[in-house]
Amino acid sequence: VQLVEFGGGSVESGGSLRLSCVGSGYVYGSYVMAWFRRAPQKVREAVAAIDTDGQTFYADSVKGRFTISRDNAKNTLYLQMNSLKPEDTAIYYCAGGWDDPVYTGPLLDSIVYPYWGQGTQVTVSS
């Protein structure tokens, strides 16, 4: 399983960026997918997740500003980030895991995801 992120960069506060994550080596549509981030001097945190039915989940800090989506035909996960703030500055990671019917916990938990991309840097200047 391979996950590769694209689309990071530098933007001014209030700007937008779109991250992409291309997956290979597995049946993409059968996996739950998520974005996480790690800011300097902070622990990794969940940003957004999407299940195999397209239901989405967001961290409170990004609700209303970020949108997660997936295109199973293209094996691609997206994160549209609008109204970016300096506190959104972080390395963003794509993560994937199989859709376990026994698991009933939240998808915004790294325990769900055994597969991770290498990360892409997002920097928001004030």
Side-chain angles (χ1 to χ4, degrees):
V1 175
Q2 271 197 318
L3 299 172
V4 181
E5 300 98 337
F6 302 92
S10 297
V11 65
E12 291 186 351
S13 182
S16 298
L17 280 175
R18 188 195 199 200
L19 305 183
S20 301
C21 170
V22 179
S24 62
Y26 63 105
V27 180
Y28 188 84
S30 64
Y31 273 45
V32 294
M33 302 295 297
W35 290 97
F36 287 74
R37 67 185 180 187
R38 188 191 301 274
Q41 312 300 322
K42 292 188 177 181
V43 298
R44 183 177 61 192
E45 63 175 355
V47 175
I50 185 167
D51 68 13
T52 55
D53 294 323
Q55 188 174 5
T56 57
F57 307 85
Y58 296 94
D60 288 343
S61 58
V62 306
K63 279 181 182 176
R65 300 189 298 122
F66 290 12
T67 302
I68 188 172
S69 61
R70 65 192 297 166
D71 185 337
N72 292 340
K74 295 182 179 179
N75 284 9
T76 303
L77 177 74
Y78 302 99
L79 184 68
Q80 178 66 45
M81 305 185 292
N82 298 328
S83 301
L84 282 161
K85 306 174 181 179
E87 51 263 45
D88 294 318
T89 295
I91 300 174
Y92 283 71
Y93 299 90
C94 168
W98 45 85
D99 187 9
D100 186 348
V102 178
Y103 180 76
T104 57
L107 292 187
L108 291 175
D109 190 332
S110 60
I111 195 174
V112 176
Y113 307 97
Y115 304 112
W116 295 79
Q118 81 289 350
T120 186
Q121 177 70 46
V122 171
T123 302
V124 184
S125 58
S126 56

